[in-house]
Amino acid sequence: MRALVLAACVATLPAAALTIRADRDDAEYLELATRYPSALALGPRVGGEGVLIAPRWILTNATQAKALQDVKPLPKIRVGEDDHEIQALFVNEVALILLRKPVSDVEPAKLYREGDESGKTVAIVGLGNADRRKRASINTVDRIDARTLGLRVKPLDDASDLQGAATAADIGAPAFVEVPAGISVAGILSSVAGEWETYARVSAFVPWIEAVMLDQAKREIDSLLDPDRR
């Protein structure tokens, strides 16, 4: 079914990654992506994507983080104009990457905390194409479970003007919502099956994310106050 939908709705870009509608100009997808500078690629050694949610913290998919753990030495991650060293990784159903130094030239995305994602319009940002250029597409949240969001790739008659379809090359990609408080990340792509894309529901993981970040902050403060406790 997905193949039929994609054949009618989207055109494949230079490599197996975010696909776009055949009747829309690629420049529109490139332009839309400029609204989301916090979306980033984890690099060619592991593939996949993530999103900056604080100056030293990247949120991504657990599979991508586990792949990073297996790479020795740990690769650097390009954020904005600089390559950043990884200090630590924390893995749950989603994962957090702690950078050694803060990012200063990219504004982090906020975490979406509300439980009202159903039916909301989201922007999915992908960088998995051969040209490594960031593209964003539009879809809606069609299904909600306790810890996941489901997005269906719609037939042309029901699709948004800038609908796109994620693929396995985009695992870890963020799904953004725009609310009065600003741009927030509501989902992290975890799988693609048929016409459905499944995202980790960020609102469900906010307590874990904040607990990890707070614990790390306490550890670093303690080490400054008492270096012998390192």
Side-chain angles (χ1 to χ4, degrees), residues 112-114 117 145-148 200-208:
Y112 194 70
R113 301 166 183 271
E114 305 302 322
E117 300 98 334
D145 293 317
R147 302 171 82 82
T148 63
R201 189 179 183 182
V202 169
S203 62
F205 294 98
V206 167
W208 176 78

Side-chain angles (χ1 to χ4, degrees), residues 131-183:
D131 62 5
R132 309 308 302 163
R133 300 179 72 186
K134 187 184 296 185
R135 293 170 172 85
S137 63
I138 300 296
N139 206 332
T140 55
V141 177
D142 299 293
R143 182 176 67 199
I144 291 182
D145 293 317
R147 302 171 82 82
T148 63
L149 306 175
L151 278 63
R152 185 175 65 89
V153 180
K154 281 82 170 172
L156 191 59
D157 290 346
D158 297 328
S160 72
D161 283 347
L162 291 180
Q163 178 174 256
T167 73
D170 299 305
I171 295 298
F176 293 103
V177 294
E178 296 197 30
V179 293
I183 294 173

Side-chain angles (χ1 to χ4, degrees), residues 27-188:
E28 297 181 75
Y29 292 86
L30 293 167
E31 174 63 25
L32 180 62
T34 63
R35 296 183 56 82
Y36 309 103
S38 58
L40 54 92
L42 298 182
R45 296 180 70 181
V46 298
E49 301 167 28
V51 56
L52 189 74
I53 59 169
R56 292 178 61 200
W57 293 92
I58 294 169
L59 179 63
T60 187
N61 174 261
T63 301
Q64 307 312 119
K66 290 175 182 177
L68 277 172
Q69 288 177 325
D70 293 336
V71 177
K72 305 299 180 200
L74 283 172
K76 294 181 179 181
I77 297 178
R78 185 80 170 177
V79 189
E81 298 299 320
D82 297 308
D83 293 323
H84 287 264
E85 293 183 0
I86 297 171
Q87 179 172 320
L89 297 105
F90 305 85
V91 180
N92 191 289
E93 294 175 57
V94 291
L96 287 166
I97 300 170
L98 175 63
L99 302 177
R100 194 166 299 280
K101 295 182 179 180
V103 175
S104 60
D105 59 346
V106 175
E107 182 177 357
K110 299 176 174 63
L111 298 175
Y112 194 70
R113 301 166 183 271
E114 305 302 322
D116 60 351
E117 300 98 334
S118 182
K120 282 196 177 298
T121 298
V122 294
I124 299 94
V125 181
L127 299 98
N129 297 298
D131 62 5
R132 309 308 302 163
R133 300 179 72 186
K134 187 184 296 185
R135 293 170 172 85
S137 63
I138 300 296
N139 206 332
T140 55
V141 177
D142 299 293
R143 182 176 67 199
I144 291 182
D145 293 317
R147 302 171 82 82
T148 63
L149 306 175
L151 278 63
R152 185 175 65 89
V153 180
K154 281 82 170 172
L156 191 59
D157 290 346
D158 297 328
S160 72
D161 283 347
L162 291 180
Q163 178 174 256
T167 73
D170 299 305
I171 295 298
F176 293 103
V177 294
E178 296 197 30
V179 293
I183 294 173
S184 302
V185 57
I188 295 293

